[in-house]
Amino acid sequence: MPQTDPKTLVSTQWLQDHLRDPDLRIIDASWYLPGTPRDPLAEYKAAHIPGARYVDIDDLSDHRSDLPHMAPPVEKFMSRMRTLGIGDGHQVVVYDGAGIYSAPRVWWLFRLMGKADVAVLDGGFPKWQAEARPVTDDAPVIRDRHMTVTRQNQMVKDVTQVAAATKLGDHEIIDARSRARFCGDEPEPRPGLRPGHIPGSRNLPYTALLNDNGTLKPDGELRMIFERAGIDLKKPAITTCGSGVTAAIVNLALERIGSTNHSLYDGSWAEWGMYGDLRVATGDN
């Protein structure tokens, strides 16, 4: 797969070349862990890629759940996108202020809703700014656009499905958290969660998939990283992390290398680590 592909990943040059395309829609999906001293909305208002709309993934979520930013109901997704002027026939490009961090979560949400013409900006806003590409503080002109959504239920897993997968061993469960958190050697950033990981899961920190400049590693290298982590790419994959954000980076990488049978455990460790009746493993096992 070429490094630029409008269904997965596009370069900063590709985006600049297409900025004036009438059916291009750009989303700033910046989000940071609680306690991080950054305000993504304030940063967006100060400077963003021309035409970009801001999406708050905490708002674009299911508020009926006590878990953080779970995937929203279809109706809420459609409503929020219509408010942003995003609909059928649009090519969507998502970026964030960390390079590649939270943007893949929104890419995954679009895929969950059956929308394929969506890509992550490789290197995100930091790379865009480092290359002195155009930025603005102007709000975009927004016109309503109808959106048709067909939810792809196979792309998301709940706790019952993940628990079954741990017993059957018929999926590769890939944990995108740091090795210290996976092993249980470091406390979780969210209070009240047990340390450790889902039994039978494999650790592949999302940072291993990225270059130092925040871009995604080339496809051939990604494949080798998965294989070195002991992941059988012939099996269907379930990704997980702390709360379902950085897990989507693994989904994006899997899609890039043609391993398309993947889903995301939306509750992730925020859910699994909370319930005492779910088994937890520590160390490398």
Side-chain angles (χ1 to χ4, degrees):
M1 182 181 289
Q3 197 67 4
T4 285
D5 169 36
K7 296 185 186 299
T8 53
L9 193 74
V10 296
S11 67
T12 49
Q13 186 59 56
W14 184 97
L15 182 56
Q16 183 160 351
D17 290 345
H18 290 80
L19 269 183
R20 296 187 180 277
D21 288 6
D23 282 328
L24 176 74
R25 295 293 181 269
I26 307 170
I27 293 174
D28 181 332
S30 299
W31 177 88
Y32 306 103
L33 274 172
T36 305
R38 292 184 68 173
D39 183 334
L41 179 56
E43 291 179 13
Y44 165 81
K45 288 179 177 178
H48 53 263
I49 296 174
R53 290 100 162 113
Y54 174 73
V55 164
D56 179 355
I57 64 173
D58 288 324
D59 173 64
L60 190 65
S61 65
D62 188 353
H63 288 173
R64 299 169 301 181
S65 172
D66 293 333
L67 295 168
H69 41 249
M70 297 287 281
V74 165
E75 297 77 16
K76 183 172 185 178
F77 183 85
M78 288 193 298
S79 171
R80 291 294 189 273
M81 291 306 111
R82 182 171 182 172
T83 301
L84 294 171
I86 299 171
D88 294 341
H90 283 148
Q91 168 66 50
V92 177
V93 174
V94 193
Y95 73 87
D96 63 56
I100 291 182
Y101 182 65
S102 53
R105 170 70 186 191
V106 174
W107 169 85
W108 174 80
L109 280 176
F110 271 87
R111 287 300 190 90
L112 177 64
M113 300 298 173
K115 313 305 286 187
D117 294 328
V118 56
V120 171
L121 179 63
D122 201 16
F125 199 48
K127 188 169 189 288
W128 184 271
Q129 286 184 302
E131 295 167 348
R133 299 185 187 274
V135 299
T136 184
D137 59 0
D138 292 337
V141 177
I142 291 176
R143 298 178 181 85
D144 274 7
R145 180 81 163 244
H146 177 73
M147 177 177 279
T148 307
V149 165
T150 306
R151 195 175 193 270
Q152 306 297 303
N153 291 321
Q154 77 280 3
M155 289 196 65
V156 65
K157 293 290 188 285
D158 63 23
V159 66
T160 303
Q161 292 168 311
V162 177
T166 65
K167 292 175 183 174
L168 295 173
D170 56 352
H171 287 71
E172 288 284 21
I173 303 173
I174 307 171
D175 191 323
R177 293 176 302 155
S178 69
R179 185 156 194 79
R181 288 173 66 188
F182 178 85
C183 292
D185 296 334
E186 183 179 283
E188 286 295 303
R190 291 179 175 82
L193 300 182
R194 296 171 295 165
H197 59 267
I198 298 168
S201 60
R202 298 186 186 274
N203 186 216
L204 180 54
Y206 76 91
T207 51
L209 305 171
L210 304 177
N211 295 308
D212 291 342
N213 66 351
T215 56
L216 196 66
K217 288 185 174 176
D219 299 349
E221 194 172 343
L222 291 176
R223 180 173 289 277
M224 287 191 293
I225 291 167
F226 279 105
E227 290 171 352
R228 282 201 302 265
I231 293 162
D232 183 353
L233 293 170
K234 297 184 187 69
K235 280 187 177 182
I238 301 171
T239 68
T240 181
C241 61
S243 63
V245 175
T246 57
I249 301 173
V250 181
N251 294 86
L252 177 65
L254 287 166
E255 191 75 17
R256 289 288 305 173
I257 63 173
S259 187
T260 57
N261 191 359
H262 55 80
S263 56
L264 186 150
Y265 171 27
D266 210 14
S268 282
W269 199 251
E271 181 176 40
W272 193 281
M274 179 171 56
Y275 292 115
D277 56 345
L278 293 171
R279 286 199 309 118
V280 166
T282 54
D284 291 324
N285 301 316

Short mmCIF file of all heavy atoms in Angstrom, two decimals, residues 66-102:
data_model
loop_
_atom_site.label_atom_id
_atom_site.label_comp_id
_atom_site.label_asym_id
_atom_site.label_seq_id
_atom_site.Cartn_x
_atom_site.Cartn_y
_atom_site.Cartn_z
N ASP A 66 -20.99 5.19 31.75
CA ASP A 66 -20.08 5.80 32.72
C ASP A 66 -18.63 5.71 32.27
O ASP A 66 -17.76 6.35 32.86
CB ASP A 66 -20.22 5.11 34.09
CG ASP A 66 -21.58 5.37 34.73
OD1 ASP A 66 -22.18 6.42 34.42
OD2 ASP A 66 -22.04 4.52 35.51
N LEU A 67 -18.36 4.93 31.24
CA LEU A 67 -17.00 4.77 30.74
C LEU A 67 -16.63 5.93 29.82
O LEU A 67 -17.50 6.53 29.19
CB LEU A 67 -16.88 3.45 29.96
CG LEU A 67 -17.08 2.19 30.81
CD1 LEU A 67 -17.25 0.97 29.93
CD2 LEU A 67 -15.91 2.01 31.77
N PRO A 68 -15.34 6.27 29.74
CA PRO A 68 -14.94 7.44 28.95
C PRO A 68 -15.09 7.22 27.45
O PRO A 68 -14.76 6.16 26.94
CB PRO A 68 -13.46 7.64 29.33
CG PRO A 68 -13.01 6.31 29.83
CD PRO A 68 -14.19 5.67 30.46
N HIS A 69 -15.61 8.23 26.79
CA HIS A 69 -15.78 8.33 25.33
C HIS A 69 -16.02 7.00 24.61
O HIS A 69 -15.30 6.62 23.69
CB HIS A 69 -14.59 9.08 24.68
CG HIS A 69 -13.23 8.75 25.23
ND1 HIS A 69 -12.50 9.63 25.98
CD2 HIS A 69 -12.48 7.62 25.16
CE1 HIS A 69 -11.37 9.07 26.33
NE2 HIS A 69 -11.33 7.87 25.84
N MET A 70 -17.07 6.31 25.03
CA MET A 70 -17.52 5.13 24.29
C MET A 70 -18.14 5.58 22.97
O MET A 70 -18.63 6.71 22.83
CB MET A 70 -18.54 4.36 25.12
CG MET A 70 -17.99 3.81 26.42
SD MET A 70 -16.89 2.40 26.17
CE MET A 70 -18.09 1.11 25.92
N ALA A 71 -18.15 4.69 21.98
CA ALA A 71 -18.69 5.05 20.66
C ALA A 71 -20.13 5.54 20.79
O ALA A 71 -20.94 4.94 21.50
CB ALA A 71 -18.62 3.84 19.73
N PRO A 72 -20.47 6.63 20.10
CA PRO A 72 -21.81 7.20 20.24
C PRO A 72 -22.85 6.39 19.47
O PRO A 72 -22.51 5.63 18.55
CB PRO A 72 -21.65 8.59 19.60
CG PRO A 72 -20.62 8.37 18.53
CD PRO A 72 -19.65 7.37 19.14
N PRO A 73 -24.12 6.56 19.83
CA PRO A 73 -25.18 5.98 19.00
C PRO A 73 -25.12 6.56 17.58
O PRO A 73 -24.63 7.67 17.37
CB PRO A 73 -26.47 6.41 19.72
CG PRO A 73 -26.05 6.84 21.08
CD PRO A 73 -24.65 7.32 20.97
N VAL A 74 -25.63 5.80 16.63
CA VAL A 74 -25.62 6.23 15.22
C VAL A 74 -26.24 7.61 15.07
O VAL A 74 -25.70 8.48 14.37
CB VAL A 74 -26.36 5.18 14.36
CG1 VAL A 74 -26.69 5.76 12.99
CG2 VAL A 74 -25.52 3.93 14.21
N GLU A 75 -27.36 7.82 15.74
CA GLU A 75 -28.09 9.09 15.58
C GLU A 75 -27.26 10.27 16.06
O GLU A 75 -27.26 11.35 15.46
CB GLU A 75 -29.43 9.05 16.33
CG GLU A 75 -30.41 8.00 15.84
CD GLU A 75 -30.05 6.58 16.30
OE1 GLU A 75 -29.23 6.44 17.24
OE2 GLU A 75 -30.60 5.62 15.70
N LYS A 76 -26.54 10.08 17.15
CA LYS A 76 -25.71 11.17 17.67
C LYS A 76 -24.54 11.44 16.73
O LYS A 76 -24.20 12.60 16.48
CB LYS A 76 -25.20 10.83 19.07
CG LYS A 76 -24.38 11.96 19.70
CD LYS A 76 -24.04 11.67 21.14
CE LYS A 76 -23.33 12.85 21.78
NZ LYS A 76 -23.02 12.63 23.21
N PHE A 77 -23.93 10.39 16.21
CA PHE A 77 -22.82 10.58 15.26
C PHE A 77 -23.30 11.38 14.05
O PHE A 77 -22.65 12.35 13.64
CB PHE A 77 -22.26 9.23 14.83
CG PHE A 77 -21.08 9.34 13.90
CD1 PHE A 77 -19.80 9.50 14.41
CD2 PHE A 77 -21.25 9.29 12.53
CE1 PHE A 77 -18.70 9.61 13.57
CE2 PHE A 77 -20.16 9.39 11.67
CZ PHE A 77 -18.89 9.56 12.19
N MET A 78 -24.43 10.97 13.49
CA MET A 78 -24.96 11.67 12.31
C MET A 78 -25.28 13.13 12.62
O MET A 78 -24.97 14.03 11.83
CB MET A 78 -26.22 10.96 11.79
CG MET A 78 -25.95 9.63 11.12
SD MET A 78 -27.38 8.99 10.19
CE MET A 78 -28.58 8.80 11.50
N SER A 79 -25.86 13.36 13.80
CA SER A 79 -26.21 14.72 14.18
C SER A 79 -24.99 15.61 14.32
O SER A 79 -24.95 16.75 13.83
CB SER A 79 -27.01 14.69 15.49
OG SER A 79 -27.21 15.99 15.99
N ARG A 80 -23.97 15.10 15.00
CA ARG A 80 -22.75 15.89 15.18
C ARG A 80 -22.06 16.16 13.85
O ARG A 80 -21.55 17.26 13.62
CB ARG A 80 -21.77 15.15 16.12
CG ARG A 80 -22.24 15.06 17.56
CD ARG A 80 -22.30 16.44 18.22
NE ARG A 80 -22.54 16.34 19.65
CZ ARG A 80 -23.74 16.26 20.21
NH1 ARG A 80 -24.83 16.30 19.45
NH2 ARG A 80 -23.87 16.18 21.52
N MET A 81 -22.02 15.17 12.97
CA MET A 81 -21.38 15.38 11.67
C MET A 81 -22.16 16.39 10.83
O MET A 81 -21.57 17.23 10.14
CB MET A 81 -21.24 14.05 10.92
CG MET A 81 -20.25 13.09 11.56
SD MET A 81 -18.59 13.82 11.81
CE MET A 81 -18.53 13.92 13.61
N ARG A 82 -23.47 16.31 10.89
CA ARG A 82 -24.28 17.27 10.12
C ARG A 82 -24.03 18.69 10.62
O ARG A 82 -23.91 19.64 9.83
CB ARG A 82 -25.76 16.93 10.24
CG ARG A 82 -26.64 17.87 9.44
CD ARG A 82 -28.08 17.41 9.37
NE ARG A 82 -28.86 18.31 8.55
CZ ARG A 82 -30.11 18.09 8.19
NH1 ARG A 82 -30.72 16.97 8.56
NH2 ARG A 82 -30.77 18.96 7.46
N THR A 83 -23.91 18.85 11.94
CA THR A 83 -23.61 20.16 12.52
C THR A 83 -22.27 20.70 12.02
O THR A 83 -22.08 21.92 11.88
CB THR A 83 -23.58 20.06 14.07
OG1 THR A 83 -24.86 19.61 14.51
CG2 THR A 83 -23.28 21.40 14.70
N LEU A 84 -21.35 19.78 11.73
CA LEU A 84 -20.03 20.17 11.24
C LEU A 84 -19.98 20.28 9.71
O LEU A 84 -18.93 20.59 9.15
CB LEU A 84 -18.99 19.14 11.70
CG LEU A 84 -18.74 19.07 13.20
CD1 LEU A 84 -17.86 17.87 13.53
CD2 LEU A 84 -18.08 20.36 13.71
N GLY A 85 -21.12 20.00 9.05
CA GLY A 85 -21.14 20.08 7.60
C GLY A 85 -20.42 18.92 6.93
O GLY A 85 -19.89 19.07 5.83
N ILE A 86 -20.41 17.77 7.58
CA ILE A 86 -19.74 16.59 7.04
C ILE A 86 -20.79 15.55 6.71
O ILE A 86 -21.64 15.21 7.54
CB ILE A 86 -18.73 16.01 8.06
CG1 ILE A 86 -17.64 17.06 8.37
CG2 ILE A 86 -18.09 14.73 7.53
CD1 ILE A 86 -16.73 16.69 9.51
N GLY A 87 -20.75 15.03 5.48
CA GLY A 87 -21.78 14.08 5.07
C GLY A 87 -21.34 13.18 3.94
O GLY A 87 -20.15 13.01 3.67
N ASP A 88 -22.32 12.60 3.27
CA ASP A 88 -22.05 11.65 2.19
C ASP A 88 -21.26 12.33 1.07
O ASP A 88 -21.49 13.50 0.74
CB ASP A 88 -23.37 11.11 1.63
CG ASP A 88 -24.12 10.26 2.64
OD1 ASP A 88 -23.49 9.80 3.61
OD2 ASP A 88 -25.34 10.06 2.46
N GLY A 89 -20.33 11.59 0.49
CA GLY A 89 -19.55 12.09 -0.63
C GLY A 89 -18.33 12.90 -0.24
O GLY A 89 -17.58 13.35 -1.10
N HIS A 90 -18.10 13.08 1.05
CA HIS A 90 -16.94 13.85 1.50
C HIS A 90 -15.73 12.94 1.72
O HIS A 90 -15.86 11.83 2.22
CB HIS A 90 -17.24 14.59 2.80
CG HIS A 90 -18.07 15.82 2.61
ND1 HIS A 90 -18.97 16.27 3.54
CD2 HIS A 90 -18.14 16.70 1.56
CE1 HIS A 90 -19.55 17.38 3.09
NE2 HIS A 90 -19.06 17.64 1.90
N GLN A 91 -14.58 13.46 1.35
CA GLN A 91 -13.30 12.86 1.76
C GLN A 91 -12.89 13.55 3.06
O GLN A 91 -12.75 14.77 3.10
CB GLN A 91 -12.22 13.07 0.71
CG GLN A 91 -10.81 12.73 1.18
CD GLN A 91 -10.62 11.25 1.48
OE1 GLN A 91 -10.94 10.39 0.67
NE2 GLN A 91 -10.08 10.94 2.65
N VAL A 92 -12.76 12.77 4.12
CA VAL A 92 -12.44 13.32 5.44
C VAL A 92 -10.97 13.05 5.76
O VAL A 92 -10.46 11.95 5.52
CB VAL A 92 -13.36 12.70 6.52
CG1 VAL A 92 -12.98 13.21 7.90
CG2 VAL A 92 -14.83 12.99 6.20
N VAL A 93 -10.30 14.07 6.29
CA VAL A 93 -8.94 13.92 6.80
C VAL A 93 -8.94 14.37 8.26
O VAL A 93 -9.41 15.47 8.57
CB VAL A 93 -7.92 14.73 5.99
CG1 VAL A 93 -6.54 14.65 6.63
CG2 VAL A 93 -7.85 14.23 4.55
N VAL A 94 -8.45 13.50 9.14
CA VAL A 94 -8.44 13.77 10.58
C VAL A 94 -7.01 13.97 11.05
O VAL A 94 -6.11 13.22 10.66
CB VAL A 94 -9.08 12.60 11.37
CG1 VAL A 94 -9.36 13.03 12.81
CG2 VAL A 94 -10.34 12.10 10.70
N TYR A 95 -6.79 14.99 11.89
CA TYR A 95 -5.46 15.18 12.46
C TYR A 95 -5.56 15.51 13.93
O TYR A 95 -6.65 15.77 14.46
CB TYR A 95 -4.70 16.29 11.70
CG TYR A 95 -5.17 17.71 11.97
CD1 TYR A 95 -4.66 18.45 13.04
CD2 TYR A 95 -6.11 18.33 11.14
CE1 TYR A 95 -5.08 19.75 13.28
CE2 TYR A 95 -6.53 19.63 11.37
CZ TYR A 95 -6.01 20.34 12.44
OH TYR A 95 -6.43 21.63 12.67
N ASP A 96 -4.41 15.50 14.62
CA ASP A 96 -4.40 15.92 16.02
C ASP A 96 -3.11 16.69 16.31
O ASP A 96 -2.22 16.78 15.47
CB ASP A 96 -4.58 14.72 16.98
CG ASP A 96 -3.47 13.69 16.90
OD1 ASP A 96 -2.30 14.07 17.08
OD2 ASP A 96 -3.76 12.49 16.67
N GLY A 97 -3.03 17.24 17.52
CA GLY A 97 -1.93 18.11 17.89
C GLY A 97 -0.73 17.39 18.47
O GLY A 97 0.22 18.04 18.92
N ALA A 98 -0.74 16.06 18.45
CA ALA A 98 0.38 15.30 19.00
C ALA A 98 1.17 14.56 17.92
O ALA A 98 2.22 14.01 18.22
CB ALA A 98 -0.12 14.29 20.03
N GLY A 99 0.68 14.56 16.70
CA GLY A 99 1.32 13.83 15.61
C GLY A 99 0.38 12.77 15.10
O GLY A 99 -0.38 12.98 14.16
N ILE A 100 0.41 11.60 15.71
CA ILE A 100 -0.64 10.59 15.57
C ILE A 100 -0.93 10.08 16.97
O ILE A 100 -0.11 9.39 17.58
CB ILE A 100 -0.21 9.43 14.64
CG1 ILE A 100 -0.10 9.91 13.18
CG2 ILE A 100 -1.21 8.29 14.73
CD1 ILE A 100 0.28 8.81 12.20
N TYR A 101 -2.09 10.45 17.48
CA TYR A 101 -2.46 10.08 18.84
C TYR A 101 -3.96 9.82 18.93
O TYR A 101 -4.40 8.67 18.99
CB TYR A 101 -2.01 11.15 19.82
CG TYR A 101 -2.31 10.82 21.27
CD1 TYR A 101 -1.69 9.74 21.89
CD2 TYR A 101 -3.21 11.58 22.01
CE1 TYR A 101 -1.97 9.42 23.22
CE2 TYR A 101 -3.49 11.27 23.34
CZ TYR A 101 -2.87 10.19 23.94
OH TYR A 101 -3.14 9.87 25.25
N SER A 102 -4.75 10.89 18.89
CA SER A 102 -6.20 10.73 19.01
C SER A 102 -6.92 10.71 17.66
O SER A 102 -8.06 10.25 17.58
CB SER A 102 -6.78 11.84 19.88
OG SER A 102 -6.39 13.12 19.40
#
